[in-house]
Amino acid sequence: FLQFIFHTYTTGFTLFNGNGTTKAEGHSVQQKQIFHGLGAISYAACVGALPLVFMNRYTLRSPFMQLVVKKLLPAPLLSVTSAFTVAVVRSPEFENGIEVMDRNGKVVGVSLKAGEKAVKETALSRAVLFGTTFFLPAVLTYLVDRAKLAKTPRAMASVRMLMITSVLAGMLPLSLSMFPPCGEIKRADLEPEIQSSTEETELFYNRGI
């Protein structure tokens, strides 16, 4: 349930903060994105919870399995599923393309390659954000636990929450700055019809966040 809530929030954020080119074409695209988003949310939530379900189903309670399932797997799984939901929800952008502009903001054309680049960059930044946010606190909490700095379970829970909040606060601007919201793409990397319509060597597009 918690996995479902998390991916619902991040998917909704992705839906409302993507490139606006496809939204201007009609309600059918938005409906398609919503349906894709619901499927991605359900899939990501199931994948995220699967290791814990598997461990409980087969009563794998050894310290090693506890370490792998509860400490090591959540971060990479969350990273992959976060990138997956971005790619699914924003799939119309690399299927239909997004607008590319010159330095003056004039729309030169609609490019599939720019749409693909925008979605890939956003998915990667989202994977780095959530993967790091849940990996670093797990490592730091393990070190605190080994050093016995937190004397009670309540103190350990407070330390874990503080670490997650601190890492998230630091990683949020870092992940957003990995790729600028206004992305650049070389004219030579675009479709022939766009190359022939401008003399600009670099064009720009709205990547979204």
Side-chain angles (χ1 to χ4, degrees):
F1 177 74
L2 293 177
Q3 290 270 354
F4 187 85
I5 293 297
F6 171 80
H7 288 295
T8 298
Y9 174 77
T10 57
T11 300
F13 181 87
T14 301
L15 182 63
F16 287 106
N17 290 280
N19 185 282
T21 302
T22 56
K23 294 179 181 179
E25 295 179 358
H27 295 290
S28 60
V29 174
Q30 296 185 51
Q31 291 173 356
K32 180 180 179 181
Q33 286 180 292
I34 291 173
F35 288 132
H36 282 187
L38 291 174
I41 291 167
S42 302
Y43 181 80
C46 290
V47 169
L50 188 61
L52 190 61
V53 172
F54 183 81
M55 185 183 73
N56 292 333
R57 173 68 177 81
Y58 293 99
T59 61
L60 303 175
R61 301 292 184 177
S62 67
F64 176 74
M65 288 302 300
Q66 293 277 341
L67 175 65
V68 171
V69 173
K70 292 187 176 181
K71 303 294 184 182
L72 300 180
L73 272 182
L77 274 180
L78 196 61
S79 177
V80 171
T81 53
S82 296
F84 170 76
T85 55
V86 170
V88 171
V89 172
R90 293 182 56 175
S91 59
E93 293 181 27
F94 56 77
E95 291 175 355
N96 304 320
I98 61 175
E99 292 177 346
V100 290
M101 301 159 286
D102 60 17
R103 295 184 182 276
N104 299 319
K106 178 184 177 182
V107 176
V108 177
V110 176
S111 170
L112 297 177
K113 294 182 179 180
E116 182 180 353
K117 188 170 185 285
V119 174
K120 283 183 177 179
E121 290 175 346
T122 306
L124 179 58
S125 66
R126 199 68 61 82
V128 170
L129 170 63
F130 292 117
T132 306
T133 299
F134 283 87
F135 177 73
L136 282 182
V139 173
L140 296 175
T141 302
Y142 174 76
L143 295 176
V144 170
D145 189 34
R146 286 291 301 271
K148 300 188 183 303
L149 297 178
K151 304 299 183 182
T152 65
R154 179 174 294 182
M156 179 58 71
S158 299
V159 169
R160 183 182 296 109
M161 185 59 64
L162 177 62
M163 289 180 178
I164 291 175
T165 304
S166 301
V167 174
L168 180 60
M171 283 302 302
L172 186 58
L174 182 61
S175 68
L176 293 177
S177 64
M178 284 180 62
F179 305 102
C182 182
E184 297 183 16
I185 187 169
K186 295 184 182 299
R187 181 169 65 96
D189 296 333
L190 295 170
E191 290 82 352
E193 60 271 17
I194 297 180
Q195 295 184 34
S196 61
S197 63
T198 181
E199 296 298 326
E200 296 278 351
T201 57
E202 288 186 343
L203 296 171
F204 304 88
Y205 58 88
N206 174 26
R207 180 179 67 85
I209 55 176

Short mmCIF file of all heavy atoms in Angstrom, two decimals, residues 1 20 24 52 54 56 63 66 76 101 110 116 126 128 131 148 154-155 158 162-163 167 169 178 184-185 193 198 200:
data_model
loop_
_atom_site.label_atom_id
_atom_site.label_comp_id
_atom_site.label_asym_id
_atom_site.label_seq_id
_atom_site.Cartn_x
_atom_site.Cartn_y
_atom_site.Cartn_z
N PHE A 1 0.83 -1.21 0.00
CA PHE A 1 0.00 0.00 0.00
C PHE A 1 0.86 1.26 0.00
O PHE A 1 0.60 2.22 -0.73
CB PHE A 1 -0.93 -0.01 1.21
CG PHE A 1 -1.77 1.23 1.34
CD1 PHE A 1 -2.85 1.43 0.49
CD2 PHE A 1 -1.47 2.19 2.29
CE1 PHE A 1 -3.62 2.58 0.59
CE2 PHE A 1 -2.23 3.35 2.39
CZ PHE A 1 -3.31 3.54 1.55
N GLY A 20 4.63 20.08 -22.48
CA GLY A 20 3.23 20.38 -22.79
C GLY A 20 2.83 20.18 -24.23
O GLY A 20 1.67 20.40 -24.57
N ALA A 24 -1.41 19.61 -25.70
CA ALA A 24 -2.12 20.57 -26.53
C ALA A 24 -2.84 19.90 -27.70
O ALA A 24 -3.65 20.52 -28.37
CB ALA A 24 -1.15 21.62 -27.06
N LEU A 52 9.84 -8.54 -0.24
CA LEU A 52 9.35 -8.74 1.12
C LEU A 52 8.29 -9.82 1.17
O LEU A 52 8.27 -10.66 2.08
CB LEU A 52 8.81 -7.42 1.67
CG LEU A 52 8.48 -7.40 3.16
CD1 LEU A 52 9.72 -7.69 4.00
CD2 LEU A 52 7.88 -6.06 3.55
N PHE A 54 8.02 -12.30 -0.94
CA PHE A 54 8.72 -13.55 -1.18
C PHE A 54 9.41 -14.05 0.09
O PHE A 54 9.35 -15.23 0.42
CB PHE A 54 9.76 -13.34 -2.29
CG PHE A 54 10.50 -14.58 -2.68
CD1 PHE A 54 9.94 -15.49 -3.56
CD2 PHE A 54 11.76 -14.84 -2.17
CE1 PHE A 54 10.63 -16.64 -3.93
CE2 PHE A 54 12.46 -15.97 -2.52
CZ PHE A 54 11.89 -16.89 -3.40
N ASN A 56 8.59 -13.35 3.24
CA ASN A 56 7.59 -13.79 4.22
C ASN A 56 6.91 -15.08 3.80
O ASN A 56 6.60 -15.93 4.64
CB ASN A 56 6.55 -12.69 4.42
CG ASN A 56 7.12 -11.47 5.10
OD1 ASN A 56 8.08 -11.57 5.86
ND2 ASN A 56 6.53 -10.31 4.84
N PRO A 63 19.71 -13.73 8.92
CA PRO A 63 20.24 -12.35 8.93
C PRO A 63 20.67 -11.87 7.55
O PRO A 63 20.50 -10.69 7.22
CB PRO A 63 21.43 -12.46 9.88
CG PRO A 63 21.10 -13.61 10.78
CD PRO A 63 20.35 -14.58 9.92
N GLN A 66 17.54 -10.92 5.61
CA GLN A 66 17.02 -9.68 6.17
C GLN A 66 17.82 -8.49 5.65
O GLN A 66 17.25 -7.45 5.30
CB GLN A 66 17.09 -9.74 7.70
CG GLN A 66 16.17 -10.77 8.33
CD GLN A 66 14.75 -10.27 8.50
OE1 GLN A 66 14.51 -9.06 8.48
NE2 GLN A 66 13.82 -11.17 8.65
N PRO A 76 17.85 0.17 -5.00
CA PRO A 76 17.90 -0.02 -6.45
C PRO A 76 16.54 -0.30 -7.07
O PRO A 76 16.26 0.15 -8.18
CB PRO A 76 18.85 -1.21 -6.63
CG PRO A 76 18.94 -1.87 -5.31
CD PRO A 76 18.71 -0.80 -4.29
N MET A 101 12.84 24.58 -30.21
CA MET A 101 12.83 26.02 -30.48
C MET A 101 14.24 26.52 -30.74
O MET A 101 15.22 25.89 -30.33
CB MET A 101 12.24 26.76 -29.27
CG MET A 101 10.81 26.33 -28.92
SD MET A 101 10.39 26.74 -27.20
CE MET A 101 11.33 25.49 -26.31
N VAL A 110 8.50 19.72 -34.42
CA VAL A 110 8.23 18.72 -33.39
C VAL A 110 9.14 17.52 -33.64
O VAL A 110 9.12 16.94 -34.73
CB VAL A 110 6.75 18.28 -33.40
CG1 VAL A 110 6.50 17.17 -32.39
CG2 VAL A 110 5.84 19.48 -33.09
N GLU A 116 12.53 11.81 -26.95
CA GLU A 116 13.22 10.67 -26.35
C GLU A 116 14.31 11.14 -25.40
O GLU A 116 14.47 10.58 -24.30
CB GLU A 116 13.83 9.81 -27.46
CG GLU A 116 14.55 8.57 -26.95
CD GLU A 116 15.14 7.74 -28.08
OE1 GLU A 116 14.88 8.06 -29.25
OE2 GLU A 116 15.87 6.77 -27.79
N ARG A 126 15.39 11.14 -11.94
CA ARG A 126 14.48 10.61 -10.92
C ARG A 126 15.06 9.35 -10.28
O ARG A 126 14.93 9.14 -9.07
CB ARG A 126 13.13 10.30 -11.56
CG ARG A 126 11.96 10.18 -10.59
CD ARG A 126 11.62 11.50 -9.95
NE ARG A 126 11.22 12.49 -10.94
CZ ARG A 126 10.00 12.57 -11.45
NH1 ARG A 126 9.07 11.72 -11.09
NH2 ARG A 126 9.71 13.53 -12.32
N VAL A 128 18.28 8.66 -9.93
CA VAL A 128 19.37 9.10 -9.05
C VAL A 128 18.81 9.69 -7.76
O VAL A 128 19.32 9.41 -6.66
CB VAL A 128 20.26 10.13 -9.78
CG1 VAL A 128 21.25 10.77 -8.80
CG2 VAL A 128 21.01 9.46 -10.92
N GLY A 131 17.01 6.68 -5.71
CA GLY A 131 17.97 5.63 -5.40
C GLY A 131 18.95 6.07 -4.33
O GLY A 131 19.18 5.36 -3.33
N LYS A 148 26.30 1.44 17.84
CA LYS A 148 25.42 1.50 19.02
C LYS A 148 25.28 2.93 19.55
O LYS A 148 25.29 3.17 20.77
CB LYS A 148 25.92 0.57 20.12
CG LYS A 148 26.00 -0.89 19.69
CD LYS A 148 26.31 -1.81 20.83
CE LYS A 148 26.45 -3.27 20.38
NZ LYS A 148 25.27 -3.77 19.68
N ARG A 154 13.21 3.58 19.23
CA ARG A 154 12.63 4.88 18.90
C ARG A 154 13.70 5.87 18.47
O ARG A 154 13.52 6.64 17.52
CB ARG A 154 11.86 5.43 20.10
CG ARG A 154 11.22 6.79 19.85
CD ARG A 154 10.37 7.23 21.00
NE ARG A 154 9.21 6.35 21.16
CZ ARG A 154 8.26 6.54 22.08
NH1 ARG A 154 8.35 7.56 22.93
NH2 ARG A 154 7.24 5.72 22.16
N ALA A 155 14.84 5.84 19.15
CA ALA A 155 15.94 6.72 18.78
C ALA A 155 16.47 6.35 17.39
O ALA A 155 16.79 7.23 16.59
CB ALA A 155 17.05 6.63 19.82
N SER A 158 14.16 7.68 14.77
CA SER A 158 14.33 9.12 14.62
C SER A 158 15.59 9.43 13.80
O SER A 158 15.58 10.32 12.94
CB SER A 158 14.43 9.79 15.99
OG SER A 158 13.25 9.58 16.74
N LEU A 162 15.68 11.32 10.20
CA LEU A 162 16.50 12.50 10.03
C LEU A 162 17.45 12.35 8.85
O LEU A 162 17.63 13.29 8.06
CB LEU A 162 17.29 12.76 11.32
CG LEU A 162 18.27 13.95 11.28
CD1 LEU A 162 17.51 15.27 11.04
CD2 LEU A 162 19.08 14.02 12.57
N MET A 163 18.03 11.16 8.70
CA MET A 163 18.96 10.93 7.60
C MET A 163 18.25 10.96 6.25
O MET A 163 18.75 11.55 5.29
CB MET A 163 19.67 9.58 7.80
CG MET A 163 20.66 9.59 8.93
SD MET A 163 21.45 7.98 9.13
CE MET A 163 22.58 8.34 10.49
N VAL A 167 19.20 13.69 3.41
CA VAL A 167 19.70 13.27 2.10
C VAL A 167 18.75 13.72 1.00
O VAL A 167 19.18 14.18 -0.06
CB VAL A 167 19.89 11.74 2.06
CG1 VAL A 167 20.27 11.29 0.65
CG2 VAL A 167 20.98 11.31 3.04
N ALA A 169 16.77 16.35 1.06
CA ALA A 169 16.91 17.79 0.90
C ALA A 169 18.16 18.14 0.09
O ALA A 169 18.16 19.10 -0.68
CB ALA A 169 16.97 18.46 2.27
N MET A 178 21.02 18.09 -12.64
CA MET A 178 21.75 17.17 -13.52
C MET A 178 21.54 17.55 -14.98
O MET A 178 22.46 17.53 -15.79
CB MET A 178 21.28 15.72 -13.28
CG MET A 178 21.80 15.08 -12.03
SD MET A 178 21.18 13.39 -11.86
CE MET A 178 21.89 12.61 -13.33
N GLU A 184 19.14 21.21 -24.36
CA GLU A 184 19.74 21.56 -25.64
C GLU A 184 19.97 20.29 -26.46
O GLU A 184 20.27 19.23 -25.90
CB GLU A 184 21.09 22.27 -25.43
CG GLU A 184 20.99 23.58 -24.70
CD GLU A 184 22.34 24.27 -24.58
OE1 GLU A 184 23.27 23.87 -25.32
OE2 GLU A 184 22.47 25.18 -23.76
N ILE A 185 19.82 20.42 -27.76
CA ILE A 185 20.07 19.30 -28.66
C ILE A 185 20.66 19.85 -29.96
O ILE A 185 20.23 20.91 -30.44
CB ILE A 185 18.79 18.49 -28.93
CG1 ILE A 185 19.10 17.22 -29.72
CG2 ILE A 185 17.72 19.33 -29.61
CD1 ILE A 185 17.93 16.24 -29.79
N GLU A 193 13.86 16.92 -41.65
CA GLU A 193 12.96 18.03 -41.96
C GLU A 193 13.19 19.21 -41.03
O GLU A 193 12.98 20.37 -41.43
CB GLU A 193 11.50 17.57 -41.90
CG GLU A 193 11.04 17.03 -40.56
CD GLU A 193 11.27 15.53 -40.41
OE1 GLU A 193 12.08 14.97 -41.19
OE2 GLU A 193 10.63 14.94 -39.52
N THR A 198 16.05 25.24 -40.39
CA THR A 198 16.75 26.24 -39.60
C THR A 198 18.25 26.15 -39.84
O THR A 198 18.76 25.09 -40.23
CB THR A 198 16.45 26.06 -38.09
OG1 THR A 198 17.14 27.06 -37.34
CG2 THR A 198 16.89 24.69 -37.60
N GLU A 200 20.25 27.22 -37.24
CA GLU A 200 20.79 27.15 -35.89
C GLU A 200 21.53 25.84 -35.69
O GLU A 200 21.08 24.77 -36.13
CB GLU A 200 19.66 27.25 -34.86
CG GLU A 200 18.91 28.56 -34.88
CD GLU A 200 19.61 29.65 -34.09
OE1 GLU A 200 20.59 29.33 -33.39
OE2 GLU A 200 19.19 30.81 -34.18
#
